PDB file of all heavy atoms in Angstrom:
ATOM      1  N   LYS A   1       0.826  -1.204   0.000  1.00  0.00           N
ATOM      2  CA  LYS A   1       0.000   0.000   0.000  1.00  0.00           C
ATOM      3  C   LYS A   1       0.864   1.259   0.000  1.00  0.00           C
ATOM      4  O   LYS A   1       0.521   2.269  -0.623  1.00  0.00           O
ATOM      5  CB  LYS A   1      -0.950  -0.017   1.197  1.00  0.00           C
ATOM      6  CG  LYS A   1      -2.021  -1.104   1.093  1.00  0.00           C
ATOM      7  CD  LYS A   1      -2.965  -1.107   2.273  1.00  0.00           C
ATOM      8  CE  LYS A   1      -4.007  -2.200   2.125  1.00  0.00           C
ATOM      9  NZ  LYS A   1      -4.960  -1.945   1.029  1.00  0.00           N
ATOM     10  N   GLN A   2       1.988   1.214   0.710  1.00  0.00           N
ATOM     11  CA  GLN A   2       2.931   2.342   0.693  1.00  0.00           C
ATOM     12  C   GLN A   2       3.359   2.642  -0.738  1.00  0.00           C
ATOM     13  O   GLN A   2       3.363   3.800  -1.179  1.00  0.00           O
ATOM     14  CB  GLN A   2       4.174   2.012   1.536  1.00  0.00           C
ATOM     15  CG  GLN A   2       3.943   1.767   3.012  1.00  0.00           C
ATOM     16  CD  GLN A   2       3.750   3.048   3.814  1.00  0.00           C
ATOM     17  OE1 GLN A   2       3.994   4.157   3.340  1.00  0.00           O
ATOM     18  NE2 GLN A   2       3.282   2.889   5.045  1.00  0.00           N
ATOM     19  N   ALA A   3       3.695   1.578  -1.478  1.00  0.00           N
ATOM     20  CA  ALA A   3       4.181   1.746  -2.849  1.00  0.00           C
ATOM     21  C   ALA A   3       3.093   2.330  -3.757  1.00  0.00           C
ATOM     22  O   ALA A   3       3.366   3.215  -4.575  1.00  0.00           O
ATOM     23  CB  ALA A   3       4.662   0.402  -3.395  1.00  0.00           C
ATOM     24  N   SER A   4       1.853   1.836  -3.591  1.00  0.00           N
ATOM     25  CA  SER A   4       0.748   2.321  -4.435  1.00  0.00           C
ATOM     26  C   SER A   4       0.450   3.794  -4.167  1.00  0.00           C
ATOM     27  O   SER A   4       0.272   4.588  -5.100  1.00  0.00           O
ATOM     28  CB  SER A   4      -0.508   1.491  -4.180  1.00  0.00           C
ATOM     29  OG  SER A   4      -0.311   0.152  -4.539  1.00  0.00           O
ATOM     30  N   LEU A   5       0.404   4.169  -2.896  1.00  0.00           N
ATOM     31  CA  LEU A   5       0.112   5.560  -2.543  1.00  0.00           C
ATOM     32  C   LEU A   5       1.241   6.488  -2.998  1.00  0.00           C
ATOM     33  O   LEU A   5       0.990   7.589  -3.490  1.00  0.00           O
ATOM     34  CB  LEU A   5      -0.096   5.685  -1.035  1.00  0.00           C
ATOM     35  CG  LEU A   5      -1.348   4.987  -0.471  1.00  0.00           C
ATOM     36  CD1 LEU A   5      -1.335   5.002   1.050  1.00  0.00           C
ATOM     37  CD2 LEU A   5      -2.620   5.655  -0.989  1.00  0.00           C
ATOM     38  N   ALA A   6       2.492   6.019  -2.847  1.00  0.00           N
ATOM     39  CA  ALA A   6       3.640   6.829  -3.278  1.00  0.00           C
ATOM     40  C   ALA A   6       3.628   7.008  -4.790  1.00  0.00           C
ATOM     41  O   ALA A   6       3.907   8.103  -5.306  1.00  0.00           O
ATOM     42  CB  ALA A   6       4.941   6.170  -2.823  1.00  0.00           C
ATOM     43  N   ALA A   7       3.286   5.941  -5.508  1.00  0.00           N
ATOM     44  CA  ALA A   7       3.243   6.013  -6.976  1.00  0.00           C
ATOM     45  C   ALA A   7       2.192   7.008  -7.445  1.00  0.00           C
ATOM     46  O   ALA A   7       2.358   7.668  -8.477  1.00  0.00           O
ATOM     47  CB  ALA A   7       2.959   4.632  -7.554  1.00  0.00           C
ATOM     48  N   ASN A   8       1.107   7.140  -6.679  1.00  0.00           N
ATOM     49  CA  ASN A   8       0.039   8.086  -7.021  1.00  0.00           C
ATOM     50  C   ASN A   8       0.264   9.468  -6.414  1.00  0.00           C
ATOM     51  O   ASN A   8      -0.605  10.341  -6.526  1.00  0.00           O
ATOM     52  CB  ASN A   8      -1.310   7.531  -6.552  1.00  0.00           C
ATOM     53  CG  ASN A   8      -1.760   6.340  -7.362  1.00  0.00           C
ATOM     54  OD1 ASN A   8      -1.448   6.220  -8.541  1.00  0.00           O
ATOM     55  ND2 ASN A   8      -2.489   5.433  -6.737  1.00  0.00           N
ATOM     56  N   LYS A   9       1.404   9.623  -5.732  1.00  0.00           N
ATOM     57  CA  LYS A   9       1.790  10.908  -5.120  1.00  0.00           C
ATOM     58  C   LYS A   9       0.693  11.438  -4.195  1.00  0.00           C
ATOM     59  O   LYS A   9       0.314  12.610  -4.248  1.00  0.00           O
ATOM     60  CB  LYS A   9       2.125  11.934  -6.203  1.00  0.00           C
ATOM     61  CG  LYS A   9       3.302  11.514  -7.077  1.00  0.00           C
ATOM     62  CD  LYS A   9       3.612  12.540  -8.156  1.00  0.00           C
ATOM     63  CE  LYS A   9       4.794  12.083  -9.009  1.00  0.00           C
ATOM     64  NZ  LYS A   9       5.090  13.039 -10.101  1.00  0.00           N
ATOM     65  N   VAL A  10       0.181  10.548  -3.367  1.00  0.00           N
ATOM     66  CA  VAL A  10      -0.905  10.904  -2.444  1.00  0.00           C
ATOM     67  C   VAL A  10      -0.341  11.712  -1.281  1.00  0.00           C
ATOM     68  O   VAL A  10       0.641  11.313  -0.648  1.00  0.00           O
ATOM     69  CB  VAL A  10      -1.618   9.634  -1.918  1.00  0.00           C
ATOM     70  CG1 VAL A  10      -2.655  10.002  -0.863  1.00  0.00           C
ATOM     71  CG2 VAL A  10      -2.273   8.887  -3.072  1.00  0.00           C
ATOM     72  N   GLU A  11      -0.966  12.842  -1.001  1.00  0.00           N
ATOM     73  CA  GLU A  11      -0.542  13.700   0.105  1.00  0.00           C
ATOM     74  C   GLU A  11      -1.358  13.368   1.356  1.00  0.00           C
ATOM     75  O   GLU A  11      -2.478  12.847   1.255  1.00  0.00           O
ATOM     76  CB  GLU A  11      -0.758  15.175  -0.270  1.00  0.00           C
ATOM     77  CG  GLU A  11       0.096  15.654  -1.432  1.00  0.00           C
ATOM     78  CD  GLU A  11       1.587  15.660  -1.098  1.00  0.00           C
ATOM     79  OE1 GLU A  11       1.923  15.892   0.089  1.00  0.00           O
ATOM     80  OE2 GLU A  11       2.399  15.407  -2.015  1.00  0.00           O
ATOM     81  N   PRO A  12      -0.821  13.670   2.551  1.00  0.00           N
ATOM     82  CA  PRO A  12      -1.616  13.519   3.781  1.00  0.00           C
ATOM     83  C   PRO A  12      -2.932  14.291   3.649  1.00  0.00           C
ATOM     84  O   PRO A  12      -2.943  15.410   3.127  1.00  0.00           O
ATOM     85  CB  PRO A  12      -0.708  14.111   4.856  1.00  0.00           C
ATOM     86  CG  PRO A  12       0.681  13.919   4.325  1.00  0.00           C
ATOM     87  CD  PRO A  12       0.566  14.115   2.840  1.00  0.00           C
ATOM     88  N   GLN A  13      -4.022  13.704   4.115  1.00  0.00           N
ATOM     89  CA  GLN A  13      -5.327  14.328   3.923  1.00  0.00           C
ATOM     90  C   GLN A  13      -6.374  13.640   4.787  1.00  0.00           C
ATOM     91  O   GLN A  13      -6.144  12.577   5.359  1.00  0.00           O
ATOM     92  CB  GLN A  13      -5.746  14.216   2.449  1.00  0.00           C
ATOM     93  CG  GLN A  13      -5.810  12.777   1.955  1.00  0.00           C
ATOM     94  CD  GLN A  13      -6.087  12.677   0.467  1.00  0.00           C
ATOM     95  OE1 GLN A  13      -7.236  12.775   0.038  1.00  0.00           O
ATOM     96  NE2 GLN A  13      -5.022  12.501  -0.331  1.00  0.00           N
ATOM     97  N   ASP A  14      -7.572  14.259   4.842  1.00  0.00           N
ATOM     98  CA  ASP A  14      -8.719  13.612   5.467  1.00  0.00           C
ATOM     99  C   ASP A  14      -9.176  12.479   4.564  1.00  0.00           C
ATOM    100  O   ASP A  14      -9.265  12.654   3.339  1.00  0.00           O
ATOM    101  CB  ASP A  14      -9.866  14.610   5.654  1.00  0.00           C
ATOM    102  CG  ASP A  14      -9.553  15.648   6.721  1.00  0.00           C
ATOM    103  OD1 ASP A  14      -8.706  15.363   7.586  1.00  0.00           O
ATOM    104  OD2 ASP A  14     -10.163  16.732   6.686  1.00  0.00           O
ATOM    105  N   ILE A  15      -9.467  11.335   5.153  1.00  0.00           N
ATOM    106  CA  ILE A  15      -9.849  10.160   4.364  1.00  0.00           C
ATOM    107  C   ILE A  15     -11.039   9.448   5.008  1.00  0.00           C
ATOM    108  O   ILE A  15     -11.431   9.745   6.138  1.00  0.00           O
ATOM    109  CB  ILE A  15      -8.692   9.147   4.246  1.00  0.00           C
ATOM    110  CG1 ILE A  15      -8.282   8.645   5.648  1.00  0.00           C
ATOM    111  CG2 ILE A  15      -7.528   9.700   3.465  1.00  0.00           C
ATOM    112  CD1 ILE A  15      -7.465   7.369   5.629  1.00  0.00           C
ATOM    113  N   VAL A  16     -11.601   8.502   4.255  1.00  0.00           N
ATOM    114  CA  VAL A  16     -12.500   7.500   4.816  1.00  0.00           C
ATOM    115  C   VAL A  16     -11.699   6.200   4.867  1.00  0.00           C
ATOM    116  O   VAL A  16     -11.227   5.715   3.829  1.00  0.00           O
ATOM    117  CB  VAL A  16     -13.769   7.324   3.967  1.00  0.00           C
ATOM    118  CG1 VAL A  16     -14.642   6.214   4.558  1.00  0.00           C
ATOM    119  CG2 VAL A  16     -14.549   8.623   3.891  1.00  0.00           C
ATOM    120  N   LEU A  17     -11.508   5.691   6.050  1.00  0.00           N
ATOM    121  CA  LEU A  17     -10.776   4.444   6.252  1.00  0.00           C
ATOM    122  C   LEU A  17     -11.768   3.283   6.253  1.00  0.00           C
ATOM    123  O   LEU A  17     -12.800   3.342   6.924  1.00  0.00           O
ATOM    124  CB  LEU A  17     -10.025   4.493   7.588  1.00  0.00           C
ATOM    125  CG  LEU A  17      -9.449   3.184   8.119  1.00  0.00           C
ATOM    126  CD1 LEU A  17      -8.298   2.704   7.240  1.00  0.00           C
ATOM    127  CD2 LEU A  17      -8.982   3.351   9.570  1.00  0.00           C
ATOM    128  N   GLY A  18     -11.468   2.243   5.501  1.00  0.00           N
ATOM    129  CA  GLY A  18     -12.328   1.066   5.465  1.00  0.00           C
ATOM    130  C   GLY A  18     -11.596  -0.158   5.993  1.00  0.00           C
ATOM    131  O   GLY A  18     -10.469  -0.427   5.579  1.00  0.00           O
ATOM    132  N   VAL A  19     -12.254  -0.895   6.899  1.00  0.00           N
ATOM    133  CA  VAL A  19     -11.696  -2.156   7.417  1.00  0.00           C
ATOM    134  C   VAL A  19     -12.839  -3.167   7.513  1.00  0.00           C
ATOM    135  O   VAL A  19     -13.874  -2.875   8.117  1.00  0.00           O
ATOM    136  CB  VAL A  19     -11.042  -1.990   8.805  1.00  0.00           C
ATOM    137  CG1 VAL A  19     -10.380  -3.304   9.230  1.00  0.00           C
ATOM    138  CG2 VAL A  19     -10.028  -0.854   8.814  1.00  0.00           C
ATOM    139  N   ARG A  20     -12.657  -4.327   6.923  1.00  0.00           N
ATOM    140  CA  ARG A  20     -13.701  -5.348   6.954  1.00  0.00           C
ATOM    141  C   ARG A  20     -13.814  -5.936   8.364  1.00  0.00           C
ATOM    142  O   ARG A  20     -12.806  -6.095   9.068  1.00  0.00           O
ATOM    143  CB  ARG A  20     -13.414  -6.453   5.945  1.00  0.00           C
ATOM    144  CG  ARG A  20     -13.422  -5.953   4.510  1.00  0.00           C
ATOM    145  CD  ARG A  20     -13.531  -7.081   3.499  1.00  0.00           C
ATOM    146  NE  ARG A  20     -13.513  -6.545   2.137  1.00  0.00           N
ATOM    147  CZ  ARG A  20     -14.565  -6.040   1.508  1.00  0.00           C
ATOM    148  NH1 ARG A  20     -15.734  -6.012   2.127  1.00  0.00           N
ATOM    149  NH2 ARG A  20     -14.465  -5.570   0.281  1.00  0.00           N
ATOM    150  N   PRO A  21     -15.049  -6.286   8.796  1.00  0.00           N
ATOM    151  CA  PRO A  21     -15.254  -6.825  10.150  1.00  0.00           C
ATOM    152  C   PRO A  21     -14.380  -8.032  10.465  1.00  0.00           C
ATOM    153  O   PRO A  21     -13.900  -8.183  11.590  1.00  0.00           O
ATOM    154  CB  PRO A  21     -16.742  -7.203  10.152  1.00  0.00           C
ATOM    155  CG  PRO A  21     -17.357  -6.259   9.170  1.00  0.00           C
ATOM    156  CD  PRO A  21     -16.332  -6.086   8.085  1.00  0.00           C
ATOM    157  N   GLU A  22     -14.155  -8.895   9.458  1.00  0.00           N
ATOM    158  CA  GLU A  22     -13.358 -10.097   9.694  1.00  0.00           C
ATOM    159  C   GLU A  22     -11.868  -9.805   9.794  1.00  0.00           C
ATOM    160  O   GLU A  22     -11.081 -10.675  10.187  1.00  0.00           O
ATOM    161  CB  GLU A  22     -13.620 -11.153   8.607  1.00  0.00           C
ATOM    162  CG  GLU A  22     -13.361 -10.701   7.193  1.00  0.00           C
ATOM    163  CD  GLU A  22     -14.587 -10.120   6.510  1.00  0.00           C
ATOM    164  OE1 GLU A  22     -15.380  -9.416   7.180  1.00  0.00           O
ATOM    165  OE2 GLU A  22     -14.751 -10.359   5.298  1.00  0.00           O
ATOM    166  N   HIS A  23     -11.457  -8.587   9.442  1.00  0.00           N
ATOM    167  CA  HIS A  23     -10.040  -8.215   9.509  1.00  0.00           C
ATOM    168  C   HIS A  23      -9.694  -7.429  10.776  1.00  0.00           C
ATOM    169  O   HIS A  23      -8.535  -7.060  10.977  1.00  0.00           O
ATOM    170  CB  HIS A  23      -9.652  -7.382   8.279  1.00  0.00           C
ATOM    171  CG  HIS A  23      -9.694  -8.170   7.003  1.00  0.00           C
ATOM    172  ND1 HIS A  23      -9.860  -7.588   5.756  1.00  0.00           N
ATOM    173  CD2 HIS A  23      -9.604  -9.507   6.785  1.00  0.00           C
ATOM    174  CE1 HIS A  23      -9.863  -8.521   4.826  1.00  0.00           C
ATOM    175  NE2 HIS A  23      -9.697  -9.694   5.423  1.00  0.00           N
ATOM    176  N   ILE A  24     -10.703  -7.155  11.602  1.00  0.00           N
ATOM    177  CA  ILE A  24     -10.450  -6.437  12.855  1.00  0.00           C
ATOM    178  C   ILE A  24      -9.991  -7.429  13.927  1.00  0.00           C
ATOM    179  O   ILE A  24     -10.512  -8.547  14.023  1.00  0.00           O
ATOM    180  CB  ILE A  24     -11.719  -5.679  13.311  1.00  0.00           C
ATOM    181  CG1 ILE A  24     -11.971  -4.501  12.357  1.00  0.00           C
ATOM    182  CG2 ILE A  24     -11.595  -5.192  14.739  1.00  0.00           C
ATOM    183  CD1 ILE A  24     -13.162  -3.656  12.713  1.00  0.00           C
ATOM    184  N   LEU A  25      -8.984  -7.015  14.705  1.00  0.00           N
ATOM    185  CA  LEU A  25      -8.394  -7.873  15.739  1.00  0.00           C
ATOM    186  C   LEU A  25      -8.679  -7.299  17.119  1.00  0.00           C
ATOM    187  O   LEU A  25      -8.616  -6.081  17.318  1.00  0.00           O
ATOM    188  CB  LEU A  25      -6.875  -7.960  15.536  1.00  0.00           C
ATOM    189  CG  LEU A  25      -6.384  -8.366  14.136  1.00  0.00           C
ATOM    190  CD1 LEU A  25      -4.867  -8.184  14.052  1.00  0.00           C
ATOM    191  CD2 LEU A  25      -6.765  -9.806  13.834  1.00  0.00           C
ATOM    192  N   LEU A  26      -8.994  -8.153  18.057  1.00  0.00           N
ATOM    193  CA  LEU A  26      -9.127  -7.709  19.443  1.00  0.00           C
ATOM    194  C   LEU A  26      -7.735  -7.566  20.049  1.00  0.00           C
ATOM    195  O   LEU A  26      -6.861  -8.409  19.846  1.00  0.00           O
ATOM    196  CB  LEU A  26      -9.958  -8.710  20.245  1.00  0.00           C
ATOM    197  CG  LEU A  26     -11.419  -8.880  19.795  1.00  0.00           C
ATOM    198  CD1 LEU A  26     -12.150  -9.844  20.720  1.00  0.00           C
ATOM    199  CD2 LEU A  26     -12.145  -7.542  19.751  1.00  0.00           C
ATOM    200  N   SER A  27      -7.530  -6.473  20.786  1.00  0.00           N
ATOM    201  CA  SER A  27      -6.205  -6.189  21.349  1.00  0.00           C
ATOM    202  C   SER A  27      -6.357  -5.368  22.625  1.00  0.00           C
ATOM    203  O   SER A  27      -7.185  -4.449  22.683  1.00  0.00           O
ATOM    204  CB  SER A  27      -5.359  -5.412  20.327  1.00  0.00           C
ATOM    205  OG  SER A  27      -4.185  -4.907  20.914  1.00  0.00           O
ATOM    206  N   ASP A  28      -5.547  -5.685  23.631  1.00  0.00           N
ATOM    207  CA  ASP A  28      -5.595  -4.955  24.896  1.00  0.00           C
ATOM    208  C   ASP A  28      -5.237  -3.483  24.716  1.00  0.00           C
ATOM    209  O   ASP A  28      -5.632  -2.631  25.515  1.00  0.00           O
ATOM    210  CB  ASP A  28      -4.641  -5.585  25.915  1.00  0.00           C
ATOM    211  CG  ASP A  28      -5.108  -6.977  26.341  1.00  0.00           C
ATOM    212  OD1 ASP A  28      -6.313  -7.248  26.178  1.00  0.00           O
ATOM    213  OD2 ASP A  28      -4.273  -7.778  26.795  1.00  0.00           O
TER     214      ASP A  28
END
């Protein structure tokens, strides 16, 4: 993902972050 964003010259910005329910981990 670092490589893809760098290739598209993406700047820091407000975003919508997406994470699938099955990819979320429980953590202390």
